[in-house]
Amino acid sequence: MQFPLIKEVEIEVKKPWAPVLMHVDYTSVKIKRSWHKVYIGVGSNLGEREEYMKLAKEKVSALPDTKNFKSASIIETEPYGYTEQGKFLNTVYSIETLDTPAEFLDKLHQIENEAERKREIHWGPRTLDLDILLYDDLVTEDEEITIPHPDLTKRLFVLEPLCELAPRGIHPLERRRYSDIFRGFKRKMRNKGSSSGMDKEIRKVDDVRDDITKIDYEIAELFEKKEWDLPQN
């Protein structure tokens, strides 16, 4: 924490002539710690929403082993999934942490518990909701923590504040910028229900453009990683 320019530290402690029943030059223990960029989705629609959002900001920004906390603007949005409930206040935080995803999620759950969060209805009302959206470019299949968040690209109330913090960020699976996903989502919502032939053709062109953008990012990534085959003479 005292050396802000250091991103990663790896330490190996070696012990020669270790008391083990085999010949070895030494035994060692290696420890690696590094900073990880995390984006957090935040929401509240139950009780004193503003106070719960204030609590979330105070608690998350003060978490141990973290730095560079940032918050997007707070927006008011309609409920998602289960619609028989009040409007939400939503935002997104970014922060750097030394924690693993599991360690960091546990800390977020502790903050939710302080806000007396109850999990009674899926997508139901809640005093405070804190979700890990992204953890570096990590992709997991963990049952407890799915990263990136599986609904990240389906929720305008997440994409809008996320684009405020990371307008040029790229989704680690879709290989598209969040700003492009956000614009495409808004365009589809705006055109939803339109049945004219011209509108349909415009949507086809937009879909093709999105596909081309995705392919461009994939090609750029391959060249960056040098994962291509050179022609044989």
Side-chain angles (χ1 to χ4, degrees):
M1 300 294 286
Q2 299 178 2
F3 306 95
L5 296 181
I6 296 178
K7 300 296 183 181
E8 183 178 290
V9 174
E10 186 175 287
I11 299 175
E12 184 176 12
V13 179
K14 296 182 178 180
K15 179 179 176 58
W17 306 106
V20 294
L21 300 179
M22 63 179 68
H23 174 73
V24 293
D25 293 330
Y26 63 87
T27 59
S28 68
V29 175
K30 186 179 292 186
I31 301 173
K32 183 177 181 180
R33 299 290 299 276
S34 59
W35 291 106
H36 304 281
K37 186 70 166 287
V38 183
Y39 288 90
I40 308 159
V42 189
S44 174
N45 78 328
L46 196 61
E48 298 295 329
R49 300 179 304 168
E50 291 83 0
E51 291 302 315
Y52 287 123
M53 296 295 282
K54 180 179 178 182
L55 172 70
K57 186 174 183 179
E58 291 176 352
K59 293 293 184 177
V60 173
S61 63
L63 285 173
D65 297 328
T66 63
K67 66 178 183 178
N68 296 335
F69 172 86
K70 294 180 181 179
S71 174
S73 303
I74 294 176
I75 57 176
E76 186 175 53
T77 65
E78 296 293 335
Y80 176 90
Y82 178 72
T83 58
E84 298 299 319
Q85 57 180 316
K87 292 183 178 181
F88 276 82
L89 295 182
N90 290 104
T91 191
V92 168
Y93 300 153
S94 67
I95 196 168
E96 293 181 58
T97 181
L98 294 174
D99 293 331
T100 65
E103 291 170 340
F104 194 75
L105 182 62
D106 183 61
K107 291 179 179 179
L108 295 184
H109 284 167
Q110 291 177 29
I111 297 173
E112 289 180 336
N113 291 338
E114 290 186 45
E116 300 181 345
R117 162 76 185 272
K118 299 290 190 298
R119 291 173 170 81
E120 298 174 344
I121 303 175
H122 185 50
W123 288 329
R126 76 278 326 245
T127 55
L128 184 62
D129 188 26
L130 298 170
D131 291 325
I132 295 178
L133 304 175
L134 299 156
Y135 182 99
D136 293 334
D137 288 330
L138 181 67
V139 177
T140 75
E141 296 180 355
D142 193 303
E143 292 183 0
E144 298 297 324
I145 314 173
T146 303
I147 302 173
H149 193 289
D151 291 328
L152 190 161
T153 61
K154 303 174 185 177
R155 299 176 175 181
L156 283 175
F157 61 82
V158 171
L159 287 169
E160 182 173 345
L162 176 61
C163 287
E164 183 179 331
L165 295 179
R168 297 186 61 79
I170 298 175
H171 194 284
L173 284 175
E174 297 199 9
R175 308 310 304 166
R176 290 191 294 161
R177 296 193 188 279
Y178 301 117
S179 55
D180 292 336
I181 297 172
F182 178 50
R183 284 194 296 268
F185 199 133
K186 287 202 303 181
R187 183 174 61 246
K188 290 178 181 178
M189 292 294 293
R190 189 167 55 246
N191 294 334
K192 187 178 181 180
S194 177
S195 59
S196 73
M198 180 62 72
D199 286 332
K200 289 180 179 179
E201 291 303 315
I202 291 174
R203 288 200 295 274
K204 287 181 182 178
V205 171
D206 288 337
D207 289 341
V208 170
R209 184 181 294 114
D210 289 342
D211 290 339
I212 291 173
T213 301
K214 183 178 180 180
I215 292 170
D216 285 343
Y217 287 137
E218 291 174 347
I219 293 173
E221 184 182 40
L222 288 175
F223 272 85
E224 184 176 329
K225 293 182 178 179
K226 298 182 179 180
E227 296 179 355
W228 65 85
D229 295 324
L230 294 177
Q232 300 294 324
N233 293 329

